Amino acid sequence: MSMRSNSSSSYSREDDRNKDTSSPSTLDSRFNQTLRNVQGMLKGRSFPGKVLITQRSDPLDQSALQSPSNNIRFSNNDIEHGEQLDRSAEDVIQTRSNANASSSANKTKASTASTENTSNEVQKTVMGARSTDSARLMKFQKELSGTTVVLEKLRELAWSGVPPYLRPTVWRLLLGYAPSNSDRREGVLKRKRLEYLDCVAQYYDIPDIERTDEEISMLRQIAVDCPRTVPDVSFFQQAAVLKSLERILYTWAIRHPASGYVQGINDLATPFLVVFLSEYLSGSVDTWSMADLSPEKISNVEADCYWCLSKLLDGMQDHYTFAQPGIQRLVFKLKELVRRIDEPVSTRMEEQGLEFLQFAFRWFNCLLIREIPFHLVARLWDTYLAEGDALRDFLVYIFASFLLTVI
């Protein structure tokens, strides 16, 4: 087993968090616009389904377009479907280019509107949103109340967001950690949680004299990285939280020797930790304290985090093996997609000497956790997990939209 710290992943987390001084409402708006743009790009595809990246008219290296997970080659057979996606993407970009003109017209109309009309419109919008939320909640409750959950229906619902109090249950189901059959669910979770405890006792709760030098080095690196994880959220600086993260990450690394621990995996554990803790703690994450939980509850949360992290990484193992080839391939696909849907941006980046690997490597390594406000991460991960086996190719589209939304 080897512990690696790729140079592209080595940087100061404190510097990262000083990059955007925009207001929370502006950040939320950009985030929502990103998801709307992705929906536009994916018009016409069956849900859920593979996201296909097709060829431009100029020849590309076919081996580089090879899917690493299912051996599907993106070839001429995909062009017809791909053209639909590209046209939808172009519609999104055209909408962006017309934003200023429509904005000016809207401002003129708004200046002549009365206060009463504005108030009525806001009230109607709020009432409509509440009605929609209520209807969606009923759909979730109906889907989860059956003896057997139909995962395809649950994925379709979850893609547009999961109600926070249902999120722990939905995430366990989407990742295949909890069985879809409700009669088996409690027994399976109990068994997996006990199995995690056994792993911790076998691999973590032992003296250093029983570890190899490599394992000691890896444990020390994890201990260094944990306090750097989400440094702007005070909850993650609590000693008990850091210890939980350390146990989860070290146990996972020992049981996955092909990759071991790689910087960035620590970030991927944080959404699971917060979501599963939300079953026991309420209010803002900044007000949470692990001291309010019994050792049994903390153990259950850790176990759920461990198994869900394992399920997630099972589908992207080559993101974290030597040289991280899975990420290299996805960065190339992102570059090609941006070139097709917004060539002026692609050309400008080339003229400035900006390589996609310089920024997109981290995006794929940490799944945007370091790029967006932490309170938005769980919502984004609803969509990630709803994609299932198609997640890796879907990431190319979400990152393209993220790039073109913020530029």
Side-chain angles (χ1 to χ4, degrees), residues 4-13 16 221 225 228 261-267 319-320 324 327 357-358 361-366 370:
R4 296 180 321 288
S5 174
N6 190 289
S7 59
S8 297
S9 302
S10 301
Y11 39 76
S12 167
R13 293 302 302 274
D16 296 340
Q221 183 62 54
D225 286 347
R228 301 172 179 171
Y261 172 70
V262 179
Q263 286 181 324
I265 296 178
N266 54 316
D267 294 88
H319 284 209
Y320 303 101
Q324 300 178 265
I327 291 180
L357 203 61
Q358 294 172 333
F361 185 94
R362 187 173 79 177
W363 295 4
F364 285 108
N365 195 53
C366 305
R370 299 185 183 185

Side-chain angles (χ1 to χ4, degrees), residues 290-308:
M290 294 285 270
D292 295 335
L293 300 179
S294 66
E296 180 184 3
K297 289 179 179 178
I298 292 175
S299 175
N300 288 345
V301 168
E302 283 186 24
D304 291 356
C305 290
Y306 169 82
W307 290 113
C308 286

